[in-house]
Amino acid sequence: MNDKFTNKRTFWATFAAFFSNFIFGFSFLFSNMALKHATPSVLLALRFLFAFAIMNLLVLLKVVKIRFKGKNVWQVVLMGLMQPVIYFYCESYGIEMTSATFAAIMIALVPVGAMVYSAFFMKEPPTFLQAVFGIISVLGVILLSGGGGGASLSGTFLLIGAIITAVGFNAVSRKSAREFNAFERTYIMFAVASLVFTVSALLENRSDLTAIYTPLLNMEFLISILYLGVLSSVIAFMLINYANTYLPISRTTIFSNVITVVSIFAGILILKDTEPSFGNIFYSIMIITGIFGVQKFAKE
């Protein structure tokens, strides 16, 4: 077996990159459930307030130690502004101005953008075969998404903004790993996100606190927030930051294409949105094959 996969640290970083995006794949399902009871701004505020509270509880119980003294905290604050704040706004409004299908295709370009950035700015160029398999995976996402249409110029620019911030987030996460561990990076990210999204929700609802806490009285919303706050925020983002510590971003970002596969099959199997087809299975195999190739043909 390839030495890159026998190395424990590389193996667990690769697994972290995969599993975090697997978790994100189900976040669309739980977001749809939650949005029946709250506006997007309220949902985001509660999601990251809950996630930040969980992380503070871990610190207070001394399960995890954090240390920021003497470190360049502003670098990670910038990371938190890029992801989830700017990314979520660009993606949400980009979908609203285009279509979910077109947005899925655009976001699938994140691994391509990461490969280009990694090659020119981080001196971590992908191999030729990595580039080939990366394109195969992105093509699989485009075909699985069904083409795409209904794109407006402003919506397209917002989605380009989402791509740029997604690549930027992974790049800064990898760079800041020299000073901050995965928990510390995630902690600052959520401090920024909870502050920005809470202020946004209060402004939208004219400081009416009932609009923010009332959804929590609904069991379906509460279950959704538990998934989105614990699994899809604390655990998933910590796993991504851990993966970025040990792997080039060209290898970590390619796993974002797993989200498309999981979300579509979650819609088929759980929501019964549509029937499974040969195309669904074939294009999913393309995506997974591309992801595997990017990992297998990486440099030492």
Side-chain angles (χ1 to χ4, degrees), residues 44-60 66 68 183-195 198 228-230 233-234:
L44 289 170
L46 289 173
R47 170 180 175 172
F48 287 102
L49 279 171
F50 184 75
F52 190 49
I54 291 292
M55 299 197 81
N56 276 291
L57 182 62
L58 293 173
V59 173
L60 288 172
I66 55 176
F68 299 124
F183 187 91
E184 289 169 338
R185 277 173 280 162
T186 310
Y187 183 91
I188 296 175
M189 282 173 60
F190 290 172
V192 174
S194 58
L195 175 62
T198 299
L228 294 170
V230 179
S233 293
V234 176

Side-chain angles (χ1 to χ4, degrees), residues 21 104-119 126 130-131 133-135 137-139 141 163-164 166-167 170 248-258 260 287 290-291 294-295:
N21 286 286
I105 293 170
M106 289 292 290
I107 298 302
L109 297 177
V110 169
V112 177
M115 283 187 181
V116 173
Y117 184 91
S118 182
Q130 271 189 301
F133 278 95
I135 292 170
S137 185
V138 170
L139 183 60
V141 173
I163 294 170
I164 293 171
V167 174
N170 284 282
I249 61 172
S250 60
R251 291 184 64 179
T252 56
T253 54
I254 192 66
F255 281 102
S256 63
N257 291 341
V258 170
T260 305
I287 294 170
I291 292 171
V294 170
Q295 306 307 313

Side-chain angles (χ1 to χ4, degrees), residues 106-294:
M106 289 292 290
I107 298 302
L109 297 177
V110 169
V112 177
M115 283 187 181
V116 173
Y117 184 91
S118 182
F120 286 98
F121 299 103
M122 301 188 74
K123 308 303 180 186
E124 296 175 343
T127 64
F128 173 75
L129 286 176
Q130 271 189 301
V132 170
F133 278 95
I135 292 170
I136 290 172
S137 185
V138 170
L139 183 60
V141 173
I142 293 172
L143 294 171
L144 187 60
S145 299
S152 69
L153 186 61
S154 55
T156 301
F157 275 119
L158 282 169
L159 291 171
I160 291 172
I163 294 170
I164 293 171
T165 51
V167 174
F169 155 72
N170 284 282
V172 177
S173 175
R174 179 152 174 76
K175 183 179 179 181
S176 60
R178 299 166 188 168
E179 287 187 275
F180 302 87
N181 61 38
F183 187 91
E184 289 169 338
R185 277 173 280 162
T186 310
Y187 183 91
I188 296 175
M189 282 173 60
F190 290 172
V192 174
S194 58
L195 175 62
V196 174
F197 289 132
T198 299
V199 170
S200 177
L202 287 171
L203 289 173
E204 183 183 89
N205 292 282
R206 299 179 181 178
S207 300
D208 181 11
L209 292 176
T210 58
I212 294 179
Y213 70 74
T214 299
L216 293 170
L217 302 176
N218 181 277
M219 185 56 68
E220 184 179 51
F221 183 85
L222 196 57
I223 292 171
S224 300
I225 282 294
L226 284 172
Y227 184 90
L228 294 170
V230 179
L231 283 171
S232 195
S233 293
V234 176
I235 294 176
F237 276 111
M238 277 185 61
L239 288 172
I240 286 177
N241 283 323
Y242 174 81
N244 282 328
T245 303
Y246 301 112
L247 296 176
I249 61 172
S250 60
R251 291 184 64 179
T252 56
T253 54
I254 192 66
F255 281 102
S256 63
N257 291 341
V258 170
I259 298 173
T260 305
V261 178
V262 174
S263 59
I264 286 179
F265 278 91
I268 292 173
L269 300 175
I270 299 174
L271 297 179
K272 309 296 182 183
D273 284 343
T274 184
E275 294 294 322
S277 67
F278 173 78
N280 292 146
I281 297 170
F282 180 75
Y283 301 143
S284 297
I285 291 172
M286 281 181 65
I287 294 170
I288 302 302
T289 301
I291 292 171
F292 175 78
V294 170

